[in-house]
């Protein structure tokens, strides 16, 4: 294999806290430990296509460890293997432009790529590896829906925000005897809702993995009323579905690898619950992008940094086509081929999205303390 003298880095998909910690780890390891060059492509695969990049060195990554977002910017569009171009009539034409990116890297002398992203971004990482480029993936997403890693970075910071928000929401719920419905992100998985909901003392949690019946939630509210607790907090995952119903789509982004954007189920739940429990005021809050931003938590700083340093080590040991992962308390790796696409259920499934197990220990613990899932 050709010796690696220069690596490219990009961040793709929705931003989250910890991206800069990974970039910091990659850059310092490359510079100090291996004495090689690093460049960062801007706006994910868009920068790779347009050859738009910045040099990453000790000075450029100084002081970024704790900062949310990404100094490289991000995009959840630009699948170079199925690149969307808008035509005059408003429709889209799709082409494979990945060779343009390969040529850009060849011209710049980039020998390998580290791709930091979620499912869509890592699918393209796998495809670049199939074209012969040494690529390492780093698992990012607040949704924690990537299999083969116990946890993605960004998830922990998001949970901290959800927990703090629920603590705040509780004060109004209590003071006004209200039922507060709080919508959280997570795409088609309920990790943010269940872990955030448990730590923020939610009374009901609606997740995609357990279709709900709102009559059950109304019952739960009335039970609490009877116990003298005249307030309730209901956490709703954006991908939650009523029994026999479907997901609520907020918008469709045509030129995105995963075009469906979820959202709005919390408002529907609020309106329906209000009809079922007219004796209460039911109010709705959507935490939306607050969950993606902010100062990176201690856990995500260390996890991001360890992912970054391990990704460079792996590349330098000739390990292209892998994704670094967190297993137990260690950083190991797994083939990218095994971790992208699909859709399996199980808390530790290998391959496919990682879902909350409806009969798993997390759900059982929540139910044991009286949290309703509307089932
Ligand atoms: O994957 C991260 C995420 O924040 C999801 O939780 C959410 O469904 C989606 O991205 C929102 O995407 P956008 O930034 O396009 O609204």
């Amino acid at each position: 294999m050709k010796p690696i003298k220069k690596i490219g880095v990009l961040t793709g998909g929705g931003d989250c806290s910890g991206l800069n910690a990974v970039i910091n780890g990659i850059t310092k390891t490359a510079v100090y430990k291996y004495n090689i060059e690093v460049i960062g492509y801007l706006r994910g695969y868009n920068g790779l296509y347009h050859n738009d990049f910045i040099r990453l060195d000790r000075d450029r990554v100084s002081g970024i460890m704790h900062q949310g977002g990404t100094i490289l910017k991000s995009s959840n569009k630009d699948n170079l293997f199925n690149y969307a171009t808008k035509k005059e009539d408003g429709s889209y034409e799709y082409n494979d432009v990945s060779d343009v990116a390969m040529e850009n890297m060849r011209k710049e002398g980039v020998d390998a790529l580290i791709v930091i992203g979620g499912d869509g971004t890592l699918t393209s990482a796998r495809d670049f590896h199939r074209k012969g480029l040494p690529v390492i993936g780093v698992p990012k997403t607040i949704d924690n829906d990537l299999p083969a890693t116990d946890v993605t970075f960004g998830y922990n910071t998001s949970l901290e925000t959800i927990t703090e928000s629920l603590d705040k929401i509780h004060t109004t719920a209590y003071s006004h005897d209200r039922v507060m419905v709080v919508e959280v992100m997570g795409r088609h998985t309920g990790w943010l809702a269940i872990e955030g909901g448990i730590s923020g003392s939610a009374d009901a949690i609606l997740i995609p993995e357990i279709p709900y019946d709102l009559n059950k939630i109304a019952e739960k509210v009335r039970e609490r009323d009877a116990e003298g607790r005249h307030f309730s907090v209901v956490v709703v995952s954006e991908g939650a579905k009523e029994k026999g119903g479907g997901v609520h789509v907020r918008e469709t982004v045509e030129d995105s690898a995963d075009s469906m954007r979820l959202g709005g189920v919390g408002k529907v739940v609020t309106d329906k619950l209000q009809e079922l429990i007219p004796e209460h005021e039911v109010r709705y809050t959507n935490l939306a992008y607050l969950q993606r931003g902010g100062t990176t938590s201690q856990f995500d700083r260390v996890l991001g940094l360890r992912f970054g340093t391990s990704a460079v080590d792996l590349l330098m040991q000739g390990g292209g086509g892998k994704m670094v992962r967190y297993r137990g308390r260690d950083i190991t790796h797994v083939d990218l081929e095994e971790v992208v696409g699909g859709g399996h259920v199980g808390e530790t499934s290998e391959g496919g999205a990682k879902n909350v197990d409806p009969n798993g220990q997390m759900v059982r613990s929540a139910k044991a303390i009286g949290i309703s899932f509307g089932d």
Side-chain angles (χ1 to χ4, degrees):
M1 208 183 87
K2 203 176 155 218
I4 293 174
K5 297 208 171 101
K6 189 174 188 176
I7 56 179
V9 182
L10 66 85
T11 51
D15 73 327
C16 71
S17 296
L19 285 161
N20 285 328
V22 181
I23 295 167
N24 186 34
I26 291 170
T27 305
K28 287 182 183 162
T29 306
V31 172
Y32 289 143
K33 188 169 171 185
Y34 296 105
N35 195 24
I36 59 172
E37 277 184 79
V38 191
I39 64 169
Y41 289 103
L42 298 174
R43 298 179 180 81
Y45 289 113
N46 187 280
L48 193 55
Y49 182 47
H50 294 288
N51 208 25
D52 190 11
F53 62 86
I54 57 172
R55 290 195 189 280
L56 291 174
D57 56 20
R58 178 71 185 83
D59 284 347
R60 190 62 196 83
V61 300
S62 177
I64 66 169
M65 178 85 155
H66 65 289
Q67 289 171 3
T70 159
I71 59 165
L72 297 179
K73 299 185 179 271
S74 194
S75 162
N76 47 13
K77 300 178 181 175
D78 307 305
N79 174 4
L80 302 187
F81 293 87
N82 194 28
Y83 190 69
T85 314
K86 204 170 190 172
K87 294 198 288 190
E88 269 180 19
D89 63 3
S91 65
Y92 285 86
E93 182 183 290
Y94 295 88
N95 294 298
D96 180 347
V97 297
S98 57
D99 280 341
V100 176
M102 292 295 282
E103 180 57 14
N104 285 343
M105 285 185 276
R106 196 194 59 74
K107 275 192 302 205
E108 286 309 321
V110 172
D111 305 303
L113 202 57
I114 297 180
V115 171
I116 311 167
D119 192 43
T121 310
L122 293 178
T123 302
S124 290
R126 175 205 61 190
D127 294 341
F128 274 111
H129 181 252
R130 283 181 179 173
K131 285 177 91 84
L133 185 75
V135 184
I136 299 293
V138 180
K140 165 241 68 158
T141 169
I142 64 165
D143 306 324
N144 196 34
D145 59 355
L146 279 176
T149 182
D150 292 354
V151 72
T152 50
F153 73 87
Y155 177 58
N156 179 268
T157 306
S158 216
L159 285 178
E160 294 290 333
T161 300
I162 293 171
T163 305
E164 190 190 346
S165 304
L166 292 178
D167 289 348
K168 288 179 175 168
I169 293 265
H170 262 94
T171 62
T172 303
Y174 176 84
S175 305
H176 289 265
D177 290 338
R178 278 181 183 161
V179 173
M180 305 293 269
V181 175
V182 181
E183 180 174 323
V184 299
M185 286 182 167
R187 296 209 302 172
H188 301 286
T189 65
W191 294 106
L192 285 172
I194 191 165
E195 282 214 64
I198 290 172
S199 54
S201 302
D203 306 297
I205 302 174
L206 308 183
I207 59 173
E209 295 86 347
I210 306 179
Y212 62 82
D213 171 358
L214 285 184
N215 290 301
K216 297 281 170 59
I217 304 301
E219 256 171 47
K220 175 74 194 171
V221 171
R222 289 198 202 100
E223 263 173 38
R224 286 176 53 79
D225 281 338
E227 291 164 352
R229 278 178 280 276
H230 300 287
F231 65 94
S232 295
V233 172
V234 181
V235 172
V236 186
S237 175
E238 64 179 359
K241 300 178 280 273
E242 197 165 13
K243 279 188 182 159
V247 289
H248 291 260
V249 177
R250 162 168 52 90
E251 66 179 302
T252 304
V253 184
E254 285 295 344
D255 51 345
S256 175
D258 179 12
S259 57
M260 191 197 289
R261 296 290 185 275
L262 301 176
V265 61
K267 178 74 172 78
V268 174
V269 164
T270 304
D271 293 345
K272 287 192 180 169
L273 258 187
Q274 184 65 84
E275 283 172 23
L276 293 172
I277 43 170
E279 65 276 23
H280 277 281
E281 284 178 328
V282 186
R283 294 290 160 91
Y284 168 56
T285 305
N286 186 348
L287 295 185
Y289 299 100
L290 291 175
Q291 298 160 91
R292 294 236 298 249
T295 303
T296 306
S297 72
Q298 180 275 333
F299 181 86
D300 280 336
R301 290 182 203 192
V302 176
L303 182 63
L305 184 90
R306 292 177 74 195
F307 274 159
T309 59
S310 304
V312 179
D313 281 340
L314 205 51
L315 262 186
M316 298 310 280
Q317 289 153 12
K322 311 277 185 208
M323 182 188 86
V324 290
R325 64 160 159 189
Y326 188 66
R327 264 284 184 262
R329 295 182 65 78
D330 215 0
I331 307 293
T332 62
H333 54 264
V334 58
D335 282 347
L336 272 170
E337 293 282 351
E338 285 179 41
V339 299
V340 289
H344 296 256
V345 173
E347 287 180 354
T348 56
S349 81
E350 304 262 334
K354 180 177 65 180
N355 291 102
V356 176
D357 182 348
N359 303 307
Q361 204 278 327
M362 182 90 76
V363 172
R364 292 201 308 274
S365 278
K367 286 186 171 174
I369 60 163
I371 295 176
S372 171
F373 286 82
D375 56 341

